[in-house]
């Protein structure tokens, strides 16, 4: 079967063109992930393993740039409408991924999905998911 899906979420990104402007950075990130995966594979006595062999990752579709919630300093700051739009797009992608996986693998139950999304949301609120999101999967 397919491996886990990897999504990178960049929060508080100011420029709406960040995705287009960071193509080189995404390619560099993939090169570094490949190097780390290869090093880990050597420890396991495996040859020629890339990051994409372990996790499903597309540098163009698996990076999300979420602008900050506020324009200015709260409490007088206006809400950034781009924040909601980008979060909605991310949410659609995550749900689509779940639906696609459920066609070939054990489908999540509603309680599993709620637990998974609650864990994800807590990590986003705490800006903690770089370090602990990998441990919050159901």
């Amino acid at each position: 079967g397919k491996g886990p899906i990897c999504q990178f979420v960049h929060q508080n990104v100011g420029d709406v063109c960040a995705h287009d402007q960071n193509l080189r950075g995404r390619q560099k990130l993939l090169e570094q992930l490949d190097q780390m995966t290869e090093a880990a594979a050597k420890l396991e006595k495996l040859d020629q393993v890339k990051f994409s062999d372990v996790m499903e990752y597309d540098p163009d579709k698996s990076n999300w740039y979420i602008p900050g919630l506020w324009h200015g300093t709260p409490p007088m700051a206006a809400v950034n409408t781009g924040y909601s739009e980008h979060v909605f797009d991310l949410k659609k992608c995550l749900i689509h991924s779940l639906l696609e996986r459920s066609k070939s693998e054990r489908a999540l139950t509603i309680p599993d999905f709620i637990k998974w999304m609650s864990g994800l949301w807590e990590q986003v609120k705490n800006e903690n998911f770089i370090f602990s999101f990998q441990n919050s999967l159901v």
Side-chain angles (χ1 to χ4, degrees), residues 21-85:
Q21 293 176 351
N22 287 315
L23 175 62
R24 186 167 177 243
R26 292 192 309 271
Q27 291 170 337
K28 179 69 175 167
L29 173 64
L30 183 56
E31 288 173 16
Q32 291 174 336
L33 292 170
D34 283 340
Q35 290 171 357
M36 289 185 281
T37 304
E38 187 176 328
K42 284 181 182 176
L43 293 174
E44 299 290 327
K45 310 270 192 267
L46 300 171
D47 293 324
Q48 299 296 319
V49 178
K50 291 186 172 188
F51 184 73
S52 60
D53 296 332
V54 178
M55 290 202 164
E56 186 177 324
Y57 173 70
D58 179 343
D60 293 324
K61 297 179 183 176
S62 300
N63 285 280
W64 300 89
Y65 299 91
I66 310 294
L69 176 60
W70 304 106
H71 278 301
T73 307
M76 298 304 292
V79 174
N80 182 352
T81 57
Y83 177 86
S84 297
E85 292 167 1

Side-chain angles (χ1 to χ4, degrees), residues 8-22 26 63-71 80 82-83 86 127:
F8 287 100
V9 179
H10 308 272
Q11 192 173 355
N12 294 324
V13 176
D15 191 354
V16 294
C17 300
H19 184 79
D20 297 329
Q21 293 176 351
N22 287 315
R26 292 192 309 271
N63 285 280
W64 300 89
Y65 299 91
I66 310 294
L69 176 60
W70 304 106
H71 278 301
N80 182 352
Y83 177 86
H86 284 84
E127 296 184 14

